[in-house]
Amino acid sequence: LQTVPILGEMAPNERMVLADALRERRYKGGDTIVSQGDSGDEFYIIADGTVMVECDGKFVSELNEGAYFGEIALLTSKKRQATVTAKSDTVKVLTVHRKVFQRVLGPLSDILSRNMEAYSSWLIK
């Protein structure tokens, strides 16, 4: 968790609480992790592998280990703004549910919101 840039803002004890709440999921290449338009109740951190992000069927970005996604749905209660698909042969993500996200990552919501604004031009409509 220390390698995830956004989590570097957390105190060590906060990271420990988050680590206890995280659940690991694995996906095979081509598997859809989240779909644009779906409701979102989880925040994702890529632990291993590469994912592809598409908006309205168009390629937007690739994300690798240490990157995160899913925060827009949790911070704004909007539907998922993009589809995220496993690109590498295997992808391991760590997930945290909305309730835990709000409790544990609440202090980071300002930073997440700023980051969200940085890519709003190609995701949020």
Side-chain angles (χ1 to χ4, degrees), residues 2-44:
Q2 292 172 325
T3 63
V4 179
I6 189 73
L7 301 182
E9 304 286 328
M10 298 176 80
N13 63 323
E14 292 172 322
R15 271 196 300 272
M16 288 177 59
V17 170
L18 176 60
D20 287 343
L22 291 170
R23 300 292 172 249
E24 182 180 302
R25 290 200 185 146
R26 293 181 182 268
Y27 297 90
K28 294 184 227 170
D31 286 353
T32 299
I33 301 171
V34 300
S35 295
Q36 184 175 0
D38 286 354
S39 296
D41 288 324
E42 291 183 303
F43 174 72
Y44 297 80

Side-chain angles (χ1 to χ4, degrees), residues 11-114:
N13 63 323
E14 292 172 322
R15 271 196 300 272
M16 288 177 59
V17 170
L18 176 60
D20 287 343
L22 291 170
R23 300 292 172 249
E24 182 180 302
R25 290 200 185 146
R26 293 181 182 268
Y27 297 90
K28 294 184 227 170
D31 286 353
T32 299
I33 301 171
V34 300
S35 295
Q36 184 175 0
D38 286 354
S39 296
D41 288 324
E42 291 183 303
F43 174 72
Y44 297 80
I45 299 169
I46 302 169
D48 188 43
T50 301
V51 303
M52 182 172 60
V53 181
E54 294 179 306
C55 185
D56 297 327
K58 295 179 183 167
F59 174 80
V60 173
S61 180
E62 280 187 12
L63 302 174
N64 299 298
E65 181 178 337
Y68 59 87
F69 58 94
E71 75 281 9
I72 294 174
L74 298 188
L75 291 170
T76 66
S77 296
K78 290 183 178 184
K79 302 280 186 191
R80 295 281 185 205
Q81 299 294 299
T83 296
V84 178
T85 306
K87 183 175 181 188
S88 53
D89 290 340
T90 59
V91 173
K92 179 171 75 170
V93 296
L94 303 172
T95 67
V96 63
H97 192 270
R98 176 186 301 272
K99 290 178 184 175
V100 177
F101 176 90
Q102 290 169 337
R103 187 180 78 234
V104 177
L105 296 179
L108 297 178
S109 62
D110 288 341
I111 296 166
L112 290 169
S113 293
R114 276 193 308 249

